[in-house]
Amino acid sequence: MTTVVAPSRLIEARHRSLADRMDEWTAWLSERVDRNWRPSEWQHELMLFRGDPANPLTAVRKCTVTACPTITVGRTFCSDCSRDFERLGKPDLAAFQASHQPDRNRIYGFAAICWAANGHCGRDSSTHGLCAAHYSRWKTISGRNPELEIAFWAKSQKPYAALEPCGVGGCLYQRTMINELCPDHRRQWRNHFKATGTVDGKTVRKAWARTIAPYLQAPDFSLAPLSDLARLELLYVLQRGSLRGKKLEPAPIRFAVRHLADLPSIALAGESFRLPKAGETNHSGNRGALLREIQNQLRFALEEFQGIKPTDHLVWDLTAVGVVRRDSNPKKNRRNPGTMDFGKIEVVWLRDLLMQWATDTHPVSRDIWFHYRVCVLASQTLALRPGGGRDPSMLKFTDMAAVIKSIEAMTKADGTALKSKSKAIYATKFFDFLEWGRNHDLLDDLSQKFGRHRDHNISYRDEENEEQIGKSIPESVIRQLDAHVDQLGDGMPYGPMATEDVKAMAKTFYFLLRDTGRRPYEIGSLFLDCLEKDGEDWQLIWDNHKAGRYRRRLPITQTTVDIVLTWKKRRLGMNVPEGSGEYLFPARTAESEYDHPISVDIWQFIRTWADAIPVLDSELPGPDGAPAPFERKRVFPYAFRHSYCQRHADADVPQDVLQSLMDHVSPTTTSGYYKVSLKRKREAIKAVRAHVTDRLGNPTPMTSNLAYEQRSVAVAWGNCIEPNNVKAGGAACPIRHQCAGCPSYRPDPSYLPAIEDHIRALKADREAARDAGVAQFVVNNFNDQIEAYQGVRENQKRRLEAMTPQERQEVEEAAAVLRKVRAGSKARTVTLGLPALGPPKETAE
């Protein structure tokens, strides 16, 4: 077996004392810190960050009051405008946002200017709206002339020129006449030198000013209070987070700076680096999380500085090795993907392979965890087998069977059953993973018996009752829901939206779910221009977010159009949060993570409404003969997508049209949204089995549904009764599926479209063969097959034409049902719940 490059042992970090390597560590960090990081926000020379609300990676926003320039964090208003809103008795929100004029003197970044000399004085105001110089003069003058009015006196004064900025980098206020500091920083300096006994001097003050942060508001932070090395260390961590797409939140960073201000080096702090205890500070969760991230990222940086890679350990920090989350909800993508302990995979070759795969393929969080879980399970299973799975060349067929059996027994973390589809995904991931190892020459010694085999299939057993029509809500229940639609939205607030508007929006949600079959998120994210007229018909323009296909068109009825237009007219008359202007449905508040409703918002409306309806009857009778109650939990937004598909399937909409309406790539996917009931399948077979013929068109009817099922095996364009082929499940045709020349071939009218498709395919293949210059006997074979299948087609058409109109309609309807069943079946068989026929199980290992 080729040696796997990825290390499988925990390499001990041989830390030399870093006390004599501080210059090297500082230089290493300096090379990796970007001085031009976020140029619109970060001022490297001042070590000052002022958040820009236009940057989506910064968690700040502008106050929603139009005249207020204040930047805030996670609020509708800044603190001053919020107090004004409360003081005014919470007036109309939109009117307040549009007309309120905040007190400019209280707005940070807009220092009040002295109003002497009719406001032409260039200095900051200090007391009574006057600068310190004008106020000092006023005190002297007013002492001599008590009756002199300050306003009259101030107008007649000479203006003073503005003073230079405060000596603290980034401070927006002017220095005093006494020294190079503004009044606020001058007070801080006075307290500092009194407390420490420092001698007051210009040189000492300048050195002190370089370690002091300016006055900081919500979107700001400063690294000035940290030591020179600690600044580099923290900046390195923050920039690494930005590269991962992590949103920057200034408040926890300000806390971290205060917490770490006394450390000469954060990375080398050791026990001096103390994490805050729960409840020690407000929002200690966010602040503690940032401190832990700083600690971890610097530990990884130190190891990298010493030549140790994050992947050299058995326990990986997935953030350190570059694993990222990819979720439709951006909030989840900001979470740490966690740590992964490869030591739990005791089978060494399997562990090494997984570490190499993760190193080479750079998987996202979801994929690496999928592979890790199945590898841990496979390792635990193989450890109990003879040999413990240690030698890959000795693994057998039964070892893989044991692994698949363990996958079939998998449960969720809470112990509940895992769906068969999820188990099948785990099995497929494991097979593909081993195949990747073989293709990359990493598993040269792995036994070929330990691989994918057709017997290693996980059957789908989640829906055992074939009479239950999928997950759809029956039409009789939908009619009952329609009768109670006026109750939708009752007692459910939606941000500041008026009650009647909430109810109208909830109704529109329901009607669109019911009538269009779109996913809840696709309904919530509709744009205002979601309607398009095509001649006399209307189409809904929507985005298939799941498949990444946008601006899709769906034909809709005039009734649905009227519902959308009625809501749109109402919506245009409403005040909606900033950012929601282009959407048909607005977000709950301006602070919402999305600018439109998401699935959970619609789910809450539908579920709350369904639970509140007094009586909801099912189609089944109860013990007393009256209708049994319908399970309320089956009424949820996504169920209406199944109902939409089932409704069209019951109306015999062709499979390809139904697939297009659902916007699916595969017909198999569409077939999973509806069910043809067992009763309909039996009736269809009963109508068709009497018209089965041989290849020459001679009648060979099946005597019963059971005979049709047991004696035939489905091929692409008919049934086959050849015993060996039947026994092999259709995989042992002695003449390579040239059915039209075989006496065991049994077509019936339900296969006519498939036969015609096959004739077209044969003609295309014949032309391709001619172009390739093949021998004439190959072309002749194509000619003979085409002629034979054309004969089968004509025989079936003649039999249909000879029937009475009523009989022909019955057969055509039955054929449509059977074709719909086959379209959703990989095996193309029409199962009646009978035991599967196939080859005996292999016993070879």
Side-chain angles (χ1 to χ4, degrees):
M1 172 179 170
T2 303
T3 303
V4 178
V5 177
S8 62
R9 63 190 183 281
L10 177 61
I11 298 177
E12 294 186 6
R14 289 173 284 184
H15 290 279
R16 288 170 46 193
S17 173
L18 290 170
D20 58 347
R21 302 186 65 192
M22 297 298 286
D23 290 342
E24 294 178 51
W25 171 236
T26 302
W28 188 90
L29 287 170
S30 298
E31 291 174 0
R32 287 158 179 78
V33 164
D34 182 7
R35 297 171 63 89
N36 297 317
W37 175 59
R38 298 197 185 206
S40 67
E41 299 173 307
W42 175 246
Q43 302 172 52
H44 189 80
E45 296 301 326
L46 300 177
M47 286 286 150
L48 178 64
F49 182 93
R50 297 200 188 279
D52 180 3
N55 189 340
L57 290 179
T58 305
V60 299
R61 57 177 300 154
K62 178 186 172 296
C63 175
T64 58
V65 171
T66 305
C68 180
T70 303
I71 308 300
T72 185
V73 178
R75 295 180 178 178
T76 303
F77 305 128
C78 66
S79 55
D80 289 329
C81 290
S82 180
R83 283 193 291 269
D84 292 342
F85 186 69
E86 296 287 339
R87 178 176 55 80
L88 295 173
K90 296 184 178 180
D92 179 73
L93 180 64
F96 178 81
Q97 291 171 323
S99 61
H100 180 62
Q101 295 295 321
D103 182 354
R104 189 178 179 84
N105 289 346
R106 294 188 310 183
I107 298 176
Y108 170 65
F110 294 86
I113 299 299
C114 173
W115 53 276
N118 286 323
H120 290 95
C121 181
R123 298 186 182 179
D124 293 346
S125 68
S126 174
T127 308
H128 294 304
L130 299 174
C131 63
H134 277 120
Y135 180 69
S136 178
R137 292 197 63 193
W138 161 248
K139 284 184 66 176
T140 302
I141 297 295
S142 63
R144 298 173 186 169
N145 188 359
E147 296 186 6
L148 180 64
E149 293 184 4
I150 188 172
F152 176 79
W153 173 85
K155 287 181 181 179
S156 63
Q157 298 305 299
K158 282 176 50 179
Y160 293 122
L163 298 172
E164 293 183 21
C166 172
V168 172
C171 183
L172 299 177
Y173 298 100
Q174 297 174 6
R175 65 178 59 187
T176 62
M177 295 291 292
I178 299 173
N179 59 32
E180 67 278 2
L181 302 175
C182 69
D184 182 60
H185 284 114
R186 180 168 166 263
R187 282 190 295 270
Q188 290 186 46
W189 165 249
R190 191 164 56 241
N191 294 334
H192 171 73
F193 80 74
K194 284 182 180 179
T196 61
T198 306
V199 178
D200 190 1
K202 188 173 183 179
T203 303
V204 178
R205 279 199 306 272
K206 284 187 175 181
W208 173 83
R210 286 195 295 271
T211 67
I212 297 301
Y215 182 74
L216 301 173
Q217 281 283 80
D220 309 337
F221 67 83
S222 170
L223 304 187
L226 298 174
S227 69
D228 289 340
L229 180 53
R231 291 173 185 174
L232 280 176
E233 291 171 335
L234 183 51
L235 189 56
Y236 170 83
V237 172
L238 296 178
Q239 291 187 2
R240 293 276 292 186
S242 289
L243 291 174
R244 299 195 308 271
K246 179 180 175 63
K247 253 192 176 181
L248 192 147
E249 300 181 60
I253 299 173
R254 291 196 297 271
F255 171 79
V257 170
R258 292 194 301 271
H259 190 75
L260 305 170
D262 297 330
L263 298 177
S265 169
I266 305 171
L268 307 177
E271 295 182 358
S272 300
F273 192 116
R274 185 182 64 84
L275 294 175
K277 297 178 181 178
E280 184 176 337
T281 62
N282 292 334
H283 308 293
S284 60
N286 286 343
R287 295 172 177 182
L290 176 61
L291 288 174
R292 283 190 292 274
E293 181 182 0
I294 293 170
Q295 191 177 47
N296 290 334
Q297 289 297 320
L298 289 178
R299 175 167 56 85
F300 300 138
L302 271 177
E303 290 185 347
E304 186 179 348
F305 169 64
Q306 297 176 96
I308 303 169
K309 298 178 182 178
T311 54
D312 289 345
H313 301 288
L314 278 182
V315 179
W316 284 10
D317 184 292
L318 297 183
T319 300
V321 300
V323 174
V324 296
R325 296 179 67 101
R326 286 286 183 269
D327 198 277
S328 58
N329 183 352
K331 193 172 184 178
K332 292 183 179 179
N333 289 332
R334 298 201 293 270
R335 297 176 187 167
N336 192 309
T339 59
M340 183 171 286
D341 183 2
F342 288 91
K344 292 184 178 180
I345 305 176
E346 297 179 4
V347 178
V348 177
W349 67 267
L350 189 60
R351 176 206 306 162
D352 288 347
L353 183 67
L354 181 61
M355 295 175 77
Q356 186 68 53
W357 173 84
T359 302
D360 290 354
T361 62
H362 307 291
V364 297
S365 175
R366 177 181 173 86
D367 280 347
I368 193 171
W369 278 110
F370 247 117
H371 284 77
Y372 175 76
R373 291 187 187 107
V374 75
C375 284
V376 170
L377 183 65
S379 174
Q380 293 170 345
T381 303
L382 292 176
L384 300 176
R385 303 286 299 168
R390 291 183 293 273
D391 186 351
S393 66
M394 299 301 293
L395 293 174
K396 303 177 181 179
F397 174 87
T398 51
D399 294 319
M400 180 58 80
V403 172
I404 297 301
K405 188 173 181 180
S406 296
I407 293 175
E408 285 189 309
M410 286 180 73
T411 61
K412 297 179 183 177
D414 58 3
T416 57
L418 193 66
K419 288 186 176 180
S420 296
K421 183 177 181 180
S422 298
K423 296 174 185 177
I425 292 174
Y426 275 112
T428 301
K429 294 278 187 186
F430 188 64
F431 290 138
D432 292 344
F433 169 65
L434 294 180
E435 193 64 27
W436 179 88
R438 286 189 169 101
N439 292 338
H440 287 76
D441 300 325
L442 300 175
L443 294 176
D444 291 348
D445 291 344
L446 182 63
S447 169
Q448 291 298 320
K449 295 178 182 178
F450 191 76
R452 194 191 306 258
H453 189 274
R454 62 193 178 101
D455 283 353
H456 295 152
N457 292 322
I458 295 180
S459 58
Y460 287 78
R461 304 188 184 113
D462 292 331
E463 295 179 3
E464 296 180 354
N465 183 2
E466 288 195 63
E467 296 293 349
Q468 183 177 345
I469 309 299
K471 299 176 183 177
S472 64
I473 303 171
E475 292 300 312
S476 62
V477 176
I478 290 179
R479 286 192 291 272
Q480 295 175 68
L481 293 174
D482 291 346
H484 293 87
V485 73
D486 288 337
Q487 299 175 23
L488 240 174
D490 280 350
M492 294 195 68
Y494 190 79
M497 190 182 290
T499 301
E500 290 306 312
D501 291 335
V502 173
K503 288 177 64 65
M505 181 176 71
K507 287 182 184 179
T508 310
F509 284 152
Y510 168 69
F511 290 132
L512 285 173
L513 289 168
R514 183 196 67 183
D515 297 346
T516 69
R518 300 309 93 185
R519 301 176 181 92
Y521 190 87
E522 294 161 356
I523 298 294
S525 62
L526 288 172
F527 290 99
L528 272 173
D529 62 344
C530 64
L531 293 180
E532 179 181 82
K533 195 164 187 181
D534 182 14
E536 296 299 318
D537 300 320
W538 286 88
Q539 295 180 338
L540 181 75
I541 303 175
W542 61 285
D543 292 335
N544 187 338
H545 298 276
K546 183 176 181 180
R549 297 192 291 271
Y550 301 100
R551 304 291 291 177
R552 312 296 288 171
R553 265 73 174 171
L554 176 75
I556 55 175
T557 64
Q558 184 63 48
T559 303
T560 307
V561 171
D562 293 341
I563 291 168
V564 174
L565 292 177
T566 301
W567 164 251
K568 183 177 179 179
K569 181 178 179 181
R570 188 182 195 110
R571 152 72 179 78
L572 290 174
M574 296 163 51
N575 294 312
V576 299
E578 184 181 1
S580 295
E582 60 181 343
Y583 291 102
L584 184 64
F585 303 104
R588 189 179 294 270
T589 64
E591 289 79 26
S592 298
E593 193 168 357
Y594 296 86
D595 292 327
H596 55 78
I598 58 177
S599 299
V600 68
D601 296 317
I602 300 176
W603 186 91
Q604 288 171 346
F605 279 113
I606 299 299
R607 288 295 302 119
T608 302
W609 169 56
D611 288 341
I613 294 176
V615 178
L616 202 59
D617 294 331
S618 71
E619 296 177 320
L620 302 174
D624 57 354
F630 187 76
E631 289 183 82
R632 307 301 175 93
K633 66 181 181 181
R634 289 182 58 189
V635 182
F636 56 93
Y638 206 95
F640 289 99
R641 181 165 171 80
H642 288 265
S643 300
Y644 174 87
C645 190
Q646 186 68 54
R647 187 183 310 132
H648 286 76
D650 289 343
D652 288 330
V653 172
Q655 174 76 14
D656 57 336
V657 176
L658 187 53
Q659 179 184 339
S660 176
L661 290 174
M662 298 296 286
D663 200 38
H664 289 150
V665 173
S666 168
T668 304
T669 305
T670 305
S671 67
Y673 278 78
Y674 68 88
K675 295 289 183 181
V676 177
S677 69
L678 186 56
K679 181 180 179 182
R680 288 188 70 192
K681 284 189 282 189
R682 284 174 175 158
E683 290 175 347
I685 291 178
K686 183 179 179 181
V688 170
R689 63 179 170 83
H691 302 282
V692 175
T693 68
D694 61 15
R695 66 187 179 90
L696 300 175
N698 300 315
T700 56
M702 295 290 188
T703 56
S704 67
N705 284 18
L706 186 63
Y708 188 96
E709 180 71 8
Q710 287 184 322
R711 291 178 52 203
S712 63
V713 57
V715 290
W717 36 88
N719 290 321
C720 175
I721 63 169
E722 201 281 324
N724 292 325
N725 198 29
V726 172
K727 183 178 179 181
C733 176
I735 60 170
R736 300 182 182 180
H737 299 289
Q738 299 179 85
C739 302
C742 178
S744 298
Y745 179 44
R746 293 294 182 269
D748 62 58
S750 67
Y751 285 99
L752 266 174
I755 293 170
E756 291 175 343
D757 286 343
H758 189 51
I759 292 172
R760 285 191 288 269
L762 286 170
K763 288 180 178 179
D765 290 344
R766 179 182 61 186
E767 297 309 312
R770 282 174 173 167
D771 292 341
V774 300
Q776 185 61 37
F777 76 87
V778 177
V779 177
N780 291 340
N781 179 266
F782 279 121
N783 290 333
D784 292 342
Q785 285 195 72
I786 291 168
E787 184 179 351
Y789 278 109
Q790 287 174 336
V792 172
R793 179 188 62 188
E794 297 308 315
N795 287 335
Q796 294 297 327
K797 286 185 175 180
R798 280 196 295 271
R799 289 185 63 82
L800 282 173
E801 291 170 359
M803 298 177 188
T804 64
Q806 182 178 353
E807 188 179 20
R808 186 186 310 119
Q809 181 180 358
E810 180 183 354
V811 170
E812 287 176 347
E813 290 177 354
V817 171
L818 293 179
R819 285 195 295 269
K820 195 166 290 185
V821 174
R822 294 183 192 121
S825 173
K826 291 182 179 179
R828 296 189 296 264
T829 58
V830 182
T831 178
L832 295 177
L834 299 170
L837 297 175
K841 299 294 182 183
E842 295 186 16
T843 57
E845 295 184 342

